[in-house]
């Protein structure tokens, strides 16, 4: 669960004057989107119900918005809206168990999010389980309080504290948002810190909590969108059956607050445990959907929306004085903010960065943005807008958002029309009006982390949960109780038919295999070029070379500069990205159908004619070296580098950092890049996957013409050797003084993707730690309250990839968390045998959830990439469900014993040594503690304070 909204959009209707101003801009817009049809009705109790039919895949999304967010809280009782995001998933009268269990065991997913103005809950699940989702949502709307116990309340308080530690206190610059809110808004303003004050949460009584629920979580304060493979008559029947009897709640008045403003420039500083300082500049703007809203969004893109944008070009690309720059406009119901954030390169002062930003703002106020820049900004927004409608969840979110903030669920075209109406003069006007000297300037400097931020949860503070005091919640009940709760749920209807998408296989004359899947729901095309060489192909002393080559491809060609490529992609709203895995490198282009020809032209040029210019390599190297230094600021990033080195050793490809280290990054030359490209970027070492709104014959003919100059060659096979087996368990510690959490990784070398036990291991991991209601998560998060989330994974590769159990845990619970992890690993091997119910639930979750992974062209292309890389049979997807169904309890017992060995694990803890070492030394049978630095190098024990 997350405290942040998935869409940065408005949350409630704006004042009539602002709405009228918008309406004047959006009369009779030209249609650029496919129609998103919907129907709606309202129950007598006030619940608004919106339906959208999309039968393309047997999946349905149920999306409930409550018009309550952190702004609806009162002083002294903050954090309740976010707390309910968690409590609402803990069970209700007629299903007193974890809601994740009810949804995940039938192949669905569920979650929630909170922002200042609304709270959203959703389920995405097989369409024959629609009634189950509606039953769950209605039951918690009407019957949550009857089973809300002090134990559940205490447990979810613990979860919120762990969320804060993980997402704010233990993250670089993580305390900044709360500090900005504190400085920007006057005392008593509704826009306080989103997660609220932990002191307030601790002080909130059951009476406070129940009163908040009764006031806001009512049908007349909510709307529900049901989108996907539905029958509207069935929907209306189920909604009326389950929601109809719920009584209307009290009327909620719209909050009115004065428009916040700063009378003059406000300056503040903070310290944080970071390598680089950072500059934040924030201005007040107007509410969502107000007259200047769209122009301010376009202004943000003009300032920092790509290499040629004003700030990117001036600070990052040309002068190279900044590592990164971002600009965004965030508008909410009551007010908005315009934000610029800049991280300087090492050796560059924040004063010089601030002067440069101020100069660019002044230049924009004096010299309007070009029409081309504004058009690129619009096209980027249009493309992103359409891409966000590819899933039924994405459409349900938009429909609910528009219904809530504009009163019109189908506001799609009008929304885009606001942005099409923005002219260069509008961008200049809002820059002059809002980006003035009445701003907040917050600077963060490296040093001891600043304290005193409201609700800060440092290790050893009053927010550290005493070990073992949280009673198990309903989600941790025994199998009998879980089965009883399951019996209360509506059964699924007849299973809908689903066949994996048809793959049409072609081969170009140069030997390139092309896989085409037609998907015509939206005018979107995704092209994935999968090069069957990745980081495992890096030379021993050139770690990160494959990553560097992939990232250099769009930094200029023989006929296009890096700026040209960025601008031309933006001009058609297309997106390009590269991803380097151990066994493959994937280049992904996504575009609207009408721009597919232009996208193919850019794609072929980037692929066939990369310049790999020295100047661009120098720029890339400088940026990477700074990023590598920043990596030491983040405990999770440190773990991702150190843990593989422990398991494999740095002489093994899997033990070296995939993105390189400082030495290898400095050593990589233009000749290295050209050599790797020539040896591996070959048509006969690649597969091109095209999914979307295409016709196979047409697209293949275009690709044949575009790639005719790409010639085949001989690519060296890459097969990493098997590393030596670990003979005992050991503990490793990377010291991070004052860390709010310990990041734990426990594991050993696992198995290769070619293992005949792939499917039993998939099921085993699903039960052990592959989902929310897995054993390790229910134990460490729900039962013990040690963590915000715990998971396990098998990383399947050409060679034997790692098996890992991982979590960020509160510092005071580090030793106890390791004990519980090891207990779960022993349990899955036989001390706590897997039950028939666990096996049945895992099979249902994996098989019924299978269709969801083919909902979008990007998902289809991603699934096909594994087929290409690992040589899976043509009927792999056709037999996927049958292979899962064949897994038996005996299979699970066998693979658990052969593939998980808690007696031979490496245990890495990145945390505050002073706080965790005494407990770690109490762990028996794990040998001495080895201390490492942030790069995985041994540190003499005496040197660690």
């Amino acid at each position: 669960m997350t405290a942040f909204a998935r869409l940065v959009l408005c949350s409630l209707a704006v004042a009539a004057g602002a709405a009228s101003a918008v309406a004047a801009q959006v009369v009779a817009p030209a249609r650029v989107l496919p129609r998103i049809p919907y129907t709606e009705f309202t129950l007598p109790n006030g619940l608004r119900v919106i339906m959208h039919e999309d039968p393309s895949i047997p999946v349905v999304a149920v999306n409930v918005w409550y018009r309550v967010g952190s702004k609806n809280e009162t002083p002294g009782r903050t954090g309740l809206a976010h707390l309910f995001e968690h409590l609402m998933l803990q069970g209700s009268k007629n299903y007193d168990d974890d809601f994740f269990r009810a949804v995940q065991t039938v192949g669905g997913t569920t979650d929630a999010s909170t922002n200042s103005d609304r709270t959203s809950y959703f389920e995405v699940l097989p369409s024959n389980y629609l009634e189950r989702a509606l039953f769950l949502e209605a039951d918690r709307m009407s019957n949550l309080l009857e089973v809300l116990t002090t134990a559940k309340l205490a447990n979810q308080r613990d979860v919120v504290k762990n969320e804060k530690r993980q997402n704010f206190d233990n993250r670089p610059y993580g305390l900044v948002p709360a500090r900005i809110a504190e400085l920007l808004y006057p005392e008593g303003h509704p826009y306080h810190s989103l997660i609220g004050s932990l002191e307030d949460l601790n002080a909130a009584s059951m009476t406070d909590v129940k009163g908040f629920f009764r006031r806001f979580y009512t049908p007349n304060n909510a709307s529900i969108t049901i989108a996907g493979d539905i029958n509207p008559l069935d929907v209306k029947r189920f909604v009326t059956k389950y929601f109809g009897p719920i009584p209307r709640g009290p009327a909620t008045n719209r909050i009115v607050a004065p428009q916040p403003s700063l009378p003059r420039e406000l300056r503040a500083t903070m310290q944080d445990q970071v390598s680089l300082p950072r500059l934040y500049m924030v201005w007040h703007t107007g509410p969502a959907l107000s007259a200047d809203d769209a122009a301010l969004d376009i202004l943000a893109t003009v300032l920092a929306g790509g290499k040629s944008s004003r700030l990117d070009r001036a600070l990052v690309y040309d002068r190279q004085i900044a590592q990164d720059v971002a600009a965004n406009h965030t508008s909410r119901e009551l007010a908005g903010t315009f934000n610029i954030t800049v991280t300087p390169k090492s050796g560059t002062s924040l004063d010089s960065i601030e002067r440069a930003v101020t100069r660019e703002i002044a230049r924009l106020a004096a010299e309007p943005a070009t029409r081309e820049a504004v058009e690129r900004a619009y096209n980027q927004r249009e493309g992103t807008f359409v891409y966000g409608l590819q899933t039924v969840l994405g459409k349900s979110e938009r429909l609910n958002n528009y219904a809530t903030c504009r009163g019109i669920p189908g506001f799609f075209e009008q929304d885009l029309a606001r942005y099409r109406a923005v002219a260069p003069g509008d961008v200049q006007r809002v820059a002059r009006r809002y980006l003035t000297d009445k701003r907040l300037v917050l600077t963060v400097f490296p040093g001891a982390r600043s304290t005193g931020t409201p609700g800060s949860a440092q290790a050893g503070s009053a927010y550290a949960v005493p070990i073992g005091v949280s009673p198990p919640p309903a989600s941790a009940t025994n199998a009998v109780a879980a089965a009883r709760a399951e019996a209360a749920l509506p059964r699924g209807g007849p299973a809908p038919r689903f066949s994996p998408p048809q793959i049409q296989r072609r081969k170009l004359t140069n030997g390139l295999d092309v896989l085409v899947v037609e998907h015509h729901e939206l005018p979107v095309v995704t092209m994935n070029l999968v090069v069957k060489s990745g980081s495992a192909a890096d030379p021993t002393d050139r770690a990160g070379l494959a990553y560097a080559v992939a990232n250099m491809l769009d930094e200029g060609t023989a006929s296009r500069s890096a700026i040209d490529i960025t601008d031309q992609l933006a001009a058609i709203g297309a997106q390009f990205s590269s991803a380097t895995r151990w066994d493959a490198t994937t280049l992904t282009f996504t575009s609207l159908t009408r721009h597919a020809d232009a996208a193919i032209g850019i794609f072929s040029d980037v692929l066939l004619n990369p310049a790999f210019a020295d100047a661009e390599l120098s720029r890339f190297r400088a940026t990477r070296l700074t990023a590598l230094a920043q990596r030491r600021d983040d405990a999770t990033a440190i773990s991702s580098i150190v843990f593989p080195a422990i398991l494999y050793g740095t002489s093994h490809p899997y033990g070296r950092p995939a993105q390189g280290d400082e030495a290898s990054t400095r050593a990589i030359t233009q000749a290295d890049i050209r050599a790797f490209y020539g040896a591996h970027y070959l048509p006969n070492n690649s597969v091109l996957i095209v999914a979307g709104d295409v016709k196979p014959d047409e697209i293949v003919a275009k690709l044949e013409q575009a790639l005719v100059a790409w010639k085949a060659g001989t690519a060296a096979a890459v097969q990493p050797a098997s590393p030596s087996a670990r003979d005992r368990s050991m503990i490793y510690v990377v010291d991070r003084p004052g860390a709010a959490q310990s990041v734990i990784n426990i594991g050993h070398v696992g198995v290769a993707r070619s293992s005949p036990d792939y499917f039993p291991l998939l099921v085993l991991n699903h039960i052990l730690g592959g989902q929310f209601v897995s054993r390790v998560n229910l134990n460490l998060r729900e039962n013990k309250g040690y963590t915000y989330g715990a998971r396990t994974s098998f990383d399947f590769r050409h060679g034997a990839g790692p098996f890992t159990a991982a979590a960020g845990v509160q510092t005071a619970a580090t030793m106890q968390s390791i004990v519980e992890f090891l207990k779960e690993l022993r349990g899955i091997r036989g001390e706590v045998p897997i039950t028939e119910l666990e096996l049945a639930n895992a099979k249902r979750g994996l098989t019924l959830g299978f269709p969801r992974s083919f909902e979008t062209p990007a998902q289809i292309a991603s699934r096909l990439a594994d087929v290409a890389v690992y040589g899976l049979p043509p009927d792999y997807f056709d037999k996927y469900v049958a292979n899962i169904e064949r897994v038996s309890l005996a299979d699970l017992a066998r693979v658990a014993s052969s593939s998980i060995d808690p007696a031979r694990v490496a245990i890495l803890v990145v945390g505050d040594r002073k706080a965790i070492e005494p407990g770690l030394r109490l762990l028996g049978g794990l040998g001495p503690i080895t201390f490492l630095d942030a790069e995985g190098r041994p540190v003499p024990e005496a040197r660690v304070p």
Side-chain angles (χ1 to χ4, degrees):
M1 287 166 288
T2 172
F4 298 102
R6 288 179 299 279
L7 295 173
V8 184
L9 294 168
C10 62
S11 299
L12 283 177
V14 296
S20 297
V22 174
Q25 300 178 37
V26 297
V27 174
R31 174 161 293 280
V32 297
L33 295 172
R35 293 189 181 277
I36 310 293
Y38 69 94
T39 57
E40 63 172 310
F41 63 95
T42 301
L43 292 179
N45 60 16
L47 178 68
R48 187 174 189 177
V49 185
I50 303 153
M51 299 175 289
H52 164 67
E53 290 185 71
D54 177 359
S56 60
I57 195 166
V59 169
V60 63
V62 174
N63 187 280
V64 179
W65 277 33
Y66 291 95
R67 293 185 288 276
V68 56
S70 57
K71 79 172 189 313
N72 299 95
E73 298 158 353
T74 57
R77 290 297 179 265
T78 62
L80 291 181
H82 176 242
L83 177 65
F84 267 105
E85 177 194 314
H86 295 262
L87 291 174
M88 292 275 274
L89 292 157
Q90 291 299 297
S92 50
K93 177 183 177 182
N94 295 305
Y95 181 75
D96 194 9
D97 201 351
D98 201 307
F99 275 47
F100 281 94
R101 191 191 309 279
V103 176
Q104 290 184 342
T105 54
V106 296
T109 183
T110 184
D111 212 334
S113 69
T114 308
N115 67 21
S116 301
D117 301 323
R118 68 101 182 100
T119 305
S120 167
Y121 300 86
F122 74 84
E123 296 82 31
V124 181
L125 69 178
S127 54
N128 57 320
Y129 282 93
L130 168 63
E131 185 180 4
R132 174 175 294 205
L134 295 173
F135 164 86
L136 289 168
E137 289 290 358
D139 201 51
R140 62 180 167 192
M141 181 185 285
S142 58
N143 296 312
L144 182 82
L145 297 185
E146 294 188 47
V147 294
L148 179 57
T149 64
T150 55
K152 287 183 181 180
L153 181 58
N155 178 264
Q156 293 309 304
R157 277 192 182 118
D158 293 350
V159 169
V160 171
K161 294 170 186 176
N162 286 321
E163 180 180 5
K164 188 176 189 304
R165 293 184 185 98
Q166 179 169 310
N167 293 336
F168 298 92
D169 297 346
N170 211 43
R171 181 168 293 178
Y173 313 100
L175 298 181
V176 169
R179 181 60 174 155
I180 287 177
E182 182 183 34
L183 292 167
L184 204 60
Y185 299 102
E187 185 176 354
H189 192 279
Y191 285 162
H192 52 260
S193 172
L194 179 60
I195 203 166
S197 161
L198 296 187
E199 292 99 333
D200 288 355
L201 279 182
N202 284 336
S205 67
M206 184 64 79
T207 299
D208 295 326
V209 172
K210 289 185 174 181
F212 192 83
F213 180 86
R214 291 189 182 104
R215 183 180 177 190
F216 294 109
Y217 297 82
T218 63
N220 50 302
N221 199 46
S223 56
I224 181 170
T225 301
I226 302 103
D229 183 26
I230 61 171
N231 180 329
L233 294 178
D234 288 339
V235 171
K236 191 165 187 177
R237 177 165 54 88
F238 292 146
V239 168
T240 302
K241 175 182 177 180
Y242 293 116
F243 289 91
I246 303 174
R248 177 184 289 268
T252 56
N253 296 323
R254 180 176 179 269
I255 290 178
V256 177
Q259 179 68 30
S261 62
L262 294 175
R264 64 188 67 85
E265 183 178 82
L266 175 63
R267 290 185 169 268
T269 62
M270 292 178 65
Q271 289 190 165
D272 201 355
Q273 292 176 302
V274 292
S275 301
L276 295 174
R278 183 171 283 178
L279 172 70
Y280 296 85
M281 303 173 75
V282 188
W283 293 262
H284 283 295
T285 64
L289 285 181
S290 56
D292 291 335
D293 189 40
L296 284 162
D297 288 343
I298 296 294
L299 170 62
T301 304
V302 169
L303 278 174
K307 289 187 179 75
S308 67
S309 63
R310 296 291 183 99
L311 292 176
D312 269 294
R313 184 74 183 256
L315 305 181
V316 178
Y317 192 80
D318 285 346
R319 297 177 61 192
Q320 300 183 52
I321 60 174
Q323 176 70 2
D324 52 62
V325 58
N328 69 285
H329 177 232
T330 302
S331 55
R332 295 178 281 181
E333 179 195 354
L334 303 180
T337 58
F338 194 95
N339 315 274
I340 294 176
T341 305
V342 189
T343 308
K345 285 282 179 66
S346 180
T348 303
S349 72
L350 286 182
D351 286 344
S352 63
I353 290 290
E354 183 181 339
R355 287 194 297 270
V357 171
T358 302
R359 278 196 303 270
E360 288 304 318
I361 293 172
R363 187 166 72 90
L364 184 58
E367 305 170 13
T370 64
R371 179 162 295 280
E372 291 76 15
V374 174
E375 288 177 352
R376 285 196 300 268
Y378 167 76
N379 287 329
Q380 286 177 269
R381 179 165 293 273
E382 180 186 304
T384 302
F385 190 99
V386 176
Y387 305 146
L389 300 177
Q390 295 181 84
T391 66
V392 291
L393 178 61
K395 286 184 282 189
S396 73
E397 282 273 303
R398 283 280 182 175
L399 287 163
N400 222 337
N401 176 77
Y402 290 143
T404 302
C405 72
R406 190 62 179 86
I408 306 170
F411 195 65
F412 298 91
E413 288 287 350
Q414 294 95 322
D415 196 6
L416 273 182
R418 297 188 302 132
Y419 294 94
R420 282 202 305 276
V422 174
D426 296 317
V427 176
Q428 182 184 40
R429 175 178 54 78
V430 295
R432 288 174 172 174
R433 178 178 178 183
Y434 295 99
L435 305 191
T436 69
D437 57 356
K438 296 178 180 179
R439 62 189 181 184
L440 167 65
V441 180
L442 175 65
T443 50
V444 180
F445 294 100
R449 169 161 271 186
S450 299
T451 57
T453 299
S456 180
Q458 298 297 326
S461 74
Y463 308 111
V465 180
I467 302 304
V469 302
S470 298
S475 58
T477 54
N478 58 34
V480 174
R484 187 183 304 119
E486 172 76 16
L489 293 169
R491 297 298 166 200
R497 294 177 58 84
F498 172 74
S499 298
Q502 182 181 1
I503 305 168
Q504 303 198 45
R505 299 173 182 269
R506 307 294 175 87
K507 187 184 287 288
L508 302 188
T509 54
N510 60 10
L512 177 67
D513 289 316
V514 181
L515 309 181
V516 184
V517 174
E518 294 186 64
H519 190 279
H520 299 290
E521 276 66 47
L522 283 172
V524 175
V525 180
T526 292
M527 296 185 293
N528 272 16
L529 181 77
V530 181
V531 179
K532 300 179 190 178
S533 301
S535 297
D538 288 343
T540 302
D541 60 346
R542 294 293 190 273
L545 179 56
Y547 174 80
V549 173
N551 279 269
M552 287 288 294
L553 286 172
D554 65 336
E555 294 297 333
T557 70
S559 60
R560 289 177 168 95
S561 69
I563 298 292
D564 291 337
I565 294 170
T566 299
D567 283 353
Q568 291 173 26
L569 287 171
I572 59 174
Q575 297 177 348
F576 169 74
S577 64
S578 64
T580 307
R581 299 185 292 164
W582 292 103
D583 300 325
T585 299
T586 303
L587 310 179
T588 302
F589 271 82
T590 300
S591 78
L592 301 177
T593 304
R594 69 178 188 271
H595 297 309
D597 289 354
I600 290 173
I602 301 171
F603 161 71
S604 61
D605 192 32
V606 165
L607 174 62
L608 271 59
N609 306 305
F612 298 134
D614 273 333
E616 297 296 346
L617 175 58
S618 297
R619 186 179 289 108
F620 169 81
R621 182 184 294 116
T623 299
R624 284 302 307 151
L625 289 171
T626 302
L628 292 171
Q630 289 180 290
R631 192 168 64 187
R632 302 188 192 102
D633 301 337
D634 189 293
T636 301
I638 292 171
S639 295
S640 70
I641 299 303
V642 176
F643 193 61
I646 292 171
L647 296 189
Y648 293 94
T650 55
S651 61
H652 191 280
Y654 293 167
R656 299 190 290 268
Q659 296 184 9
D661 54 27
E662 291 186 6
S664 65
T665 299
R666 293 183 190 279
I668 290 173
T669 66
Q670 185 187 59
D672 295 326
I673 287 178
R674 291 187 181 279
F676 189 98
Y677 171 83
H680 297 281
Y681 281 69
L682 302 167
N684 53 312
N685 189 45
S686 305
V687 175
L688 180 59
I689 302 163
V690 183
D693 186 27
V694 296
K695 294 293 184 182
D697 290 343
E698 293 177 7
I699 194 70
V700 170
K702 292 175 181 179
L703 292 169
E704 180 73 62
Q705 183 178 4
L707 301 177
V708 66
W710 197 19
K711 302 302 181 184
T714 303
V718 178
Q719 182 60 46
S722 298
S724 301
R726 180 175 293 275
D727 59 0
R728 62 191 176 98
S729 294
M730 287 187 63
I731 298 179
Y732 302 82
V733 172
V734 175
D735 186 25
R736 283 185 57 79
Q741 273 195 327
S742 296
V743 175
I744 298 173
N745 280 258
I746 300 173
H748 50 62
V749 175
V751 300
R753 178 61 181 85
S754 59
S755 168
D757 289 327
Y758 173 80
F759 286 101
L761 288 169
L762 202 63
V763 177
L764 176 74
N765 187 68
H766 200 71
I767 295 168
L768 177 61
Q771 57 171 334
F772 187 93
V773 290
S774 62
R775 287 186 174 192
V776 298
N777 194 61
L778 290 182
N779 182 356
L780 274 76
R781 170 178 161 138
E782 300 293 275
N783 286 8
K784 300 297 192 300
Y786 295 163
T787 180
Y788 183 52
R791 294 293 188 270
T792 63
S793 64
F794 286 93
D795 189 351
F796 297 102
R797 306 172 183 171
H798 276 314
F803 163 74
T804 310
V809 304
Q810 56 174 290
T811 298
T814 302
M815 180 268 286
Q816 292 86 347
S817 298
I818 293 172
V819 169
E820 295 303 320
F821 263 129
L822 295 176
K823 182 178 76 175
E824 294 297 344
L825 298 185
R826 292 192 302 270
I828 205 78
R829 283 168 52 93
E831 290 184 9
V832 184
I834 296 172
T835 67
E836 289 281 3
L837 180 61
E838 285 181 305
L839 175 58
N841 283 341
K843 285 182 177 180
R844 280 199 306 167
L846 289 167
T847 58
L848 296 181
F850 182 58
R852 285 195 295 113
S853 62
F854 294 93
E855 193 175 1
T856 73
Q859 289 174 318
I860 294 168
S862 178
R863 294 302 301 259
L864 291 181
D866 282 346
V867 172
V869 173
Y870 298 111
L872 303 179
D875 61 354
Y876 173 76
F877 292 125
D878 296 320
K879 294 183 176 180
Y880 180 92
V881 170
N883 284 327
I884 294 290
E885 293 290 3
R886 273 195 289 269
V887 175
S888 67
L889 284 175
D891 292 328
L892 296 184
R894 174 177 54 80
V895 298
S897 178
S898 64
S899 302
I900 298 176
D901 190 351
R904 291 178 172 83
V905 294
I907 302 171
L908 171 64
V909 184
V910 181
D912 185 350
R913 174 186 174 179
K914 183 178 179 180
I916 65 178
E917 183 178 0
L920 295 180
R921 292 197 180 278
L922 296 177
L923 294 170
L926 296 176
I929 299 174
T930 300
F931 295 96
L932 305 171
D933 67 12
E935 302 298 326
R937 297 178 293 247
V939 175
E941 190 170 340
R943 285 175 47 195
V944 182

